[in-house]
Amino acid sequence: MTALNSVRQMHPHFSSPAFFEAALFGISIIAGAFGAMLGLGGGFIIVPALTLLFGVKFRYAVGASIVSVIATSSGAAASYVKDHVTNIRAAMLLEMGTTLGALIGVLLSGFLSDRFLFLLLAAILIYSAFSMAKSRRDRHASVEESDAMAKKLKLASSYPDHFLNQEVPYGVTGVKWGLLIMLAAGVLSALLGIGSGTLKVPAMDMIMRLPIKVSSATSNFMIGVTAAASAGAYYAKGDILPILAAPIALGVIIGSWIGTRYMMKTHSLWLRKAFIAALLFVALQLCLYAWRLRS
Amino acid sequence: MIIPARKMELIISNVLRYGVILCGLILAVGIIMGFMEPRSSIATQLPDLLNGQRVVMIHPELSDKVILLGLFLLISLPTARVASTVILFLLEEEWIYVGITFFVLTMLIISFIFGKKL
């Protein structure tokens, strides 16, 4: 029994497909806009909204969300490449890990209970909230010289720094650990319908020593491929429902366009604080929901 | 190389962007059709969905097929991007990366094909 069932009895409009589709559409536009503004995936909004507000089964929420992740990532891909900040080789190499992880995640999703997945999602939300709270200030020094593995793979590159007005070269290290974390990121992406950027960026930034701007752009570049690796399977399984995925994908496409077009990538402090608070609130709701599922 | 590598990546990324817009249009058309057909998913699946039930599409209406096409295209966009990158590295004779990108492409294709069994 969901909260919305009792609401439905009170307001017959809530069982109307038109209202439902419009509601999903509206929520997705907001998710897309915030995702574009904060550089975070809209996946964090969509799965909780579908499951907590509408009582949709977890797997269908994941299916709809993962499609929206692909939409935002692919729509914005050009801007990440255009500035020559994305390290495409690193992205392809690490995508070996994320795609393999995604397939493993799809396999696991058949064995893990919804209750566990709710708690897992809550954990990731909390982790993301803390990441957002502390970030920006910690800058890890990038490496001048790549390690042996990175040299062999020719991962070292440079990126244009607008403040210094020159190309800044950087080296890369920690390839094996990076791949391992990408594997985990892929598993989580498939299980929870998220982009896993919150795992990818620290992996590239802290462990592989890529400059933060490069980590950010490369992560955004990779997210679509990671999501596609699980989306294909979910599509084949029939877990991507048109009634959900269509308005949500459309809403996110429009929302992220609005987000990039009309609002600067805002580092506005209050917006981030509000989002962090929202993340924690939603995490709490997910935990409560999971606890109720037990009984 | 007629077209430098970076320019090619940019072309591919722009193809993605327009691909997304095309998918959006297809989805919009599908949704509108769904409201007009009395037996479409959009018209009929809501009660089961809100009750947390499993939802099975027995007879997809045309609107459902249109939406599924749009979704399929959308999911295929990253695969297309990776496939183009394989060709890119082939042209640049970067054999290690041909292997790496081909691995990624294989993972994506396996996802579609074995989705039912995974």
Side-chain angles (χ1 to χ4, degrees):
Chain A
M1 280 302 122
T2 67
L4 204 70
N5 275 334
S6 42
V7 180
R8 259 205 297 157
Q9 279 147 19
M10 293 190 282
H11 298 277
H13 285 305
F14 280 162
S15 44
S16 137
F19 175 83
F20 183 67
E21 296 295 273
L24 290 186
F25 186 60
I27 292 171
S28 310
I29 293 183
I30 295 173
F34 275 107
M37 285 194 289
L38 292 162
L40 250 171
F44 284 148
I45 301 178
I46 288 171
V47 172
L50 282 176
T51 50
L52 297 177
L53 290 180
F54 297 106
V56 171
K57 264 181 95 68
F58 201 85
R59 56 150 59 122
Y60 299 136
V62 168
S65 178
I66 203 83
V67 170
S68 69
V69 169
I70 295 177
T72 34
S73 173
S74 301
S79 56
Y80 303 129
V81 174
K82 191 167 40 157
D83 296 335
H84 300 314
V85 182
T86 305
N87 188 327
I88 290 174
R89 283 167 203 228
M92 296 310 312
L93 175 69
L94 296 173
E95 275 168 6
M96 288 179 78
T98 62
T99 52
L100 182 60
L103 288 180
I104 294 174
V106 173
L107 240 160
L108 283 176
S109 68
F111 297 109
L112 296 171
S113 70
D114 279 6
R115 203 171 137 246
F116 175 81
L117 293 173
F118 276 115
L119 293 173
L120 187 61
L121 182 59
I124 299 294
L125 289 180
I126 294 172
Y127 170 76
S128 301
F130 277 103
S131 279
M132 277 190 89
K134 67 178 268 246
S135 68
R136 305 291 156 179
R137 251 147 288 148
D138 296 359
R139 282 240 184 318
H140 299 272
S142 50
V143 171
E144 294 283 317
E145 179 109 354
S146 301
D147 68 9
M149 177 72 120
K151 272 189 182 161
K152 190 163 169 237
L153 294 165
K154 298 194 229 169
L155 287 170
S157 180
S158 65
Y159 74 100
D161 190 325
H162 295 296
F163 288 121
L164 302 174
N165 223 4
Q166 61 182 24
E167 282 281 313
V168 178
Y170 60 87
V172 178
T173 128
V175 171
K176 286 171 204 157
W177 282 110
L179 270 171
L180 207 62
I181 295 186
M182 290 304 157
L183 196 75
V187 173
L188 287 170
S189 167
L191 287 177
L192 305 173
I194 58 175
S196 291
T198 37
L199 265 149
K200 292 175 178 152
V201 174
M204 286 188 275
D205 171 38
M206 292 195 291
I207 293 171
M208 299 181 72
R209 302 297 197 174
L210 292 168
I212 188 72
K213 281 182 71 174
V214 176
S215 305
S216 225
T218 307
S219 164
N220 285 323
F221 188 69
M222 287 169 60
I223 281 176
V225 172
T226 309
S230 60
Y234 289 139
Y235 184 90
K237 281 170 76 183
D239 282 346
I240 301 183
L241 303 179
I243 187 177
L244 294 175
I248 287 174
L250 189 58
V252 164
I253 289 171
I254 292 174
S256 55
W257 180 77
I258 294 175
T260 47
R261 209 42 168 25
Y262 290 108
M263 298 163 214
M264 289 193 319
K265 196 133 199 185
T266 171
H267 298 307
S268 150
L269 200 58
W270 80 261
L271 189 68
R272 289 166 67 81
K273 280 187 175 171
F275 199 69
I276 291 169
L279 283 175
L280 292 173
F281 175 73
V282 173
L284 180 67
Q285 294 302 309
L286 290 169
C287 290
L288 290 175
Y289 198 83
W291 189 79
R292 284 206 323 257
L293 273 182
R294 178 167 49 111
S295 40
Chain B
M1 276 292 298
I2 304 168
I3 308 176
R6 279 182 166 180
K7 189 96 198 296
M8 273 191 76
E9 271 294 336
L10 193 58
I11 293 173
I12 294 164
S13 299
N14 276 316
V15 167
L16 286 187
R17 177 185 278 169
Y18 294 121
V20 169
I21 294 173
L22 175 66
C23 290
L25 288 171
I26 295 176
L27 291 175
V29 167
I31 293 172
I32 294 171
M33 287 173 71
F35 282 124
M36 298 193 311
E37 290 171 340
R39 285 194 314 264
S40 66
S41 293
I42 291 176
T44 60
Q45 279 180 354
L46 194 59
D48 280 341
L49 200 63
L50 294 182
N51 277 320
Q53 307 279 10
R54 284 194 77 145
V55 170
V56 186
M57 204 178 340
I58 313 160
H59 264 311
E61 294 283 315
L62 185 60
S63 66
D64 298 322
K65 290 181 187 168
V66 168
I67 292 175
L68 284 171
L69 173 69
L71 292 173
F72 180 80
L73 270 171
L74 189 56
I75 298 173
S76 310
L77 287 176
T79 307
R81 196 212 97 206
V82 172
S84 323
T85 308
V86 174
I87 297 174
L88 198 83
F89 282 124
L90 261 172
L91 292 174
E92 294 198 319
E93 298 184 10
E94 294 261 18
W95 307 122
I96 297 179
Y97 277 93
V98 170
I100 288 174
T101 44
F102 193 75
F103 179 88
V104 175
L105 184 63
T106 307
M107 292 289 110
L108 291 169
I109 293 175
I110 285 178
S111 178
F112 264 116
I113 297 180
F114 293 106
K116 290 211 161 99
K117 297 185 188 162
L118 277 172

